Amino acid sequence: MGPTSVDRHDFPATGLRVAVPVSQEHPSHYAVRDLVSELISQGAVGKPITTPPLISRAIAKAQVSLPRRWRRRQEPVIVPMMGARFDQLYAAGLKGDVVPYCWDVWEPSWPLWVRRLRPLRPPAVFVTAQQSARFLGDALPQSQVIHLPEATRMARHDSGTCLAARTVGVLELGRRHPVWHEAVTEPLRRRSPLPHLYEAGPGRLVYPDEHALRRGLSQAMVSVCFPSSLTHPQRSGNVETMTQRYLESMASGCLVLGQAPPELVSLMGFNPVIEIDWRDPVQQVLDILASPSRWQPAVDRALSRLQEVGDWSVRVRAALERIRIIGLL
């Protein structure tokens, strides 16, 4: 699969830096890695975070920041934050004005985000969840808070196998909707010729590494995706946002079954998710598995549109354009 049609050199990020966090192998950090890589490919300079973690945490807890007049003399630093990693943010704040790029800004932690961001007065804040961006925009009037939806690296995914030739029937990665899972698990075991894969227990990943994950997605006919607000409301509150799993599934040529967050529908221009039929969820999924070719046009349409709007090259270009409008470059 080729890259999107966006020219990566239209907006070279001269004078911009990106904080490079310590590499982590958990799937949630693949997006951080790909964002950093794309920023560097579009001209940003990667700067590893070298402040010792204990010092970084102490600085964040004390909310210590350098005078803004001094920070503005340095090039801005984009700081990827997968969750409330304020130690990394405040460590980067020792190098210049910070521009946080934030995932997992869940409703119960909104007050914490405001308390930690306000002392730094970041000129711009990127947030992947639209509801959270709106809240932070109201709470941080001195910052430009900008919603940028999730993205993926399209070239990392293999979408080549048609649905009818796939060897995994239903794939539930990570979070599960307990009601749907309980309803379909036993009927699928008895009546589906293809396996139904899911985590045997919390934290026990279906696929042990990234290579296995990409290969597994490329062989899955149906990938089940629900917003975290439905599967883990105690963590997410009412924030209904699009996560990596939706994009990875579509980029891998899976048929996505579940519930589409409004952000995803807005990004794509249509709903690419087959919504759950709660009147008879078992028969719905069995019908899909029995006639996969019927659903191939829906998969192809979603993949084609995602190539236009879902790659990191597109998202980074939008981020750099906003940074220029604000006057940081």
Side-chain angles (χ1 to χ4, degrees), residues 7-316:
D7 185 343
R8 298 186 181 191
H9 302 288
D10 282 353
F11 298 94
T14 305
L16 181 68
R17 297 173 295 167
V18 55
V20 181
V22 176
S23 177
Q24 297 190 37
E25 296 302 320
H26 192 275
S28 65
H29 286 266
Y30 298 160
V32 173
R33 175 202 60 196
D34 289 342
L35 168 62
V36 170
S37 175
E38 185 59 38
L39 281 165
I40 292 173
S41 78
Q42 294 199 30
V45 176
K47 292 292 184 181
I49 296 175
T50 57
T51 306
L54 285 176
I55 295 177
S56 298
R57 287 193 288 270
I59 293 172
K61 186 175 182 179
Q63 300 181 26
V64 174
S65 62
L66 296 175
R68 195 172 191 201
R69 181 179 301 177
W70 183 91
R71 285 187 279 126
R72 291 306 298 267
R73 293 202 298 266
Q74 313 298 315
E75 295 90 351
V77 185
I78 293 183
V79 186
M81 297 178 63
M82 182 58 71
R85 293 304 308 273
F86 297 110
D87 55 335
Q88 296 178 358
L89 182 66
Y90 273 76
L94 300 176
K95 308 294 185 181
D97 254 342
V98 292
V99 177
Y101 199 113
C102 312
W103 289 263
D104 291 357
V105 184
W106 304 119
E107 183 181 14
S109 65
W110 282 352
L112 174 63
W113 282 88
V114 172
R115 288 198 305 272
R116 291 291 190 263
L117 290 175
R118 185 174 284 148
L120 291 171
R121 297 174 64 189
V125 180
F126 294 111
V127 184
T128 60
Q130 189 172 52
Q131 291 163 273
S132 299
R134 288 172 180 161
F135 176 85
L136 292 180
D138 291 338
L140 301 170
Q142 294 179 317
S143 301
Q144 291 272 344
V145 180
I146 301 150
H147 169 240
L148 282 181
E150 291 261 18
T152 191
R153 172 69 76 211
M154 295 295 294
R156 292 192 188 277
H157 305 283
D158 177 9
S159 63
T161 306
C162 67
L163 291 181
R166 297 194 170 207
T167 57
V168 174
V170 178
L171 179 60
E172 292 182 86
L173 287 175
R175 296 178 285 102
R176 298 201 297 257
H177 191 297
V179 176
W180 187 86
H181 179 80
E182 291 299 323
V184 305
T185 298
E186 182 59 22
L188 284 175
R189 187 188 67 79
R190 289 187 286 104
R191 300 168 62 183
S192 172
L194 296 176
H196 171 204
L197 301 184
Y198 52 89
E199 290 185 0
R204 297 176 62 183
L205 300 179
V206 176
Y207 300 112
D209 54 41
E210 184 175 11
H211 176 75
L213 172 64
R214 303 302 181 209
R215 182 174 175 80
L217 280 166
S218 73
Q219 289 300 316
M221 188 182 299
V222 173
S223 178
V224 180
C225 298
F226 289 97
S228 180
S229 56
L230 293 181
T231 61
H232 288 71
Q234 70 282 2
R235 179 190 72 164
S236 306
N238 292 313
V239 173
E240 184 176 339
T241 189
M242 174 179 65
T243 57
Q244 279 288 307
R245 194 68 66 235
Y246 288 90
L247 303 182
E248 291 172 336
S249 299
M250 289 187 291
S252 300
C254 305
L255 182 69
V256 181
L257 178 67
Q259 180 170 312
E263 294 171 6
L264 177 59
V265 178
S266 177
L267 175 69
M268 300 287 284
F270 60 91
N271 187 353
V273 176
I274 306 304
E275 299 283 334
I276 296 294
D277 181 355
W278 288 108
R279 296 168 300 177
D280 195 348
V282 173
Q283 193 59 51
Q284 180 188 32
V285 71
L286 288 173
D287 286 346
I288 292 172
L289 296 178
S291 304
S293 297
R294 174 189 169 196
W295 300 96
Q296 192 64 51
V299 167
D300 295 342
R301 182 189 184 201
L303 177 62
S304 177
R305 180 58 175 160
L306 191 66
Q307 289 171 329
E308 298 172 348
V309 300
D311 191 76
W312 271 118
S313 60
V314 179
R315 206 68 73 246
V316 166

